[in-house]
Amino acid sequence: KDYSLNSLAKHYGLSTNGLKKILQNRSYLGEIKFAGQIHKGTHKPLISQDLFYAVQRKLKEEVLRA
């Protein structure tokens, strides 16, 4: 089933921008952002790169539909 960013944000009690920020957070990939650059973190990734980039594609599709 497809969900919109707005419907997911409402369901979880978040703002649309807040949810988008969470979904784009590279920390889940085991990376950190420092001084404007992305670095490999010392923590283990929480999700796979495949899942992260699939979500990024969906977010981009959502923007294109709006």
Side-chain angles (χ1 to χ4, degrees), residues 26-43:
R26 298 187 68 86
S27 294
Y28 299 117
L29 289 175
E31 299 175 348
I32 58 169
K33 188 174 184 178
F34 180 75
Q37 295 182 336
I38 303 295
H39 302 276
K40 179 90 171 113
T42 57
H43 60 288

Side-chain angles (χ1 to χ4, degrees), residues 22-61:
I22 290 168
L23 294 173
Q24 293 174 325
N25 188 336
R26 298 187 68 86
S27 294
Y28 299 117
L29 289 175
E31 299 175 348
I32 58 169
K33 188 174 184 178
F34 180 75
Q37 295 182 336
I38 303 295
H39 302 276
K40 179 90 171 113
T42 57
H43 60 288
K44 290 183 180 181
L46 296 175
I47 61 172
S48 70
Q49 283 190 349
D50 288 343
L51 177 58
F52 182 82
Y53 290 115
V55 170
Q56 303 317 300
R57 285 190 298 275
K58 286 286 189 184
L59 288 172
K60 193 175 282 190
E61 289 172 11

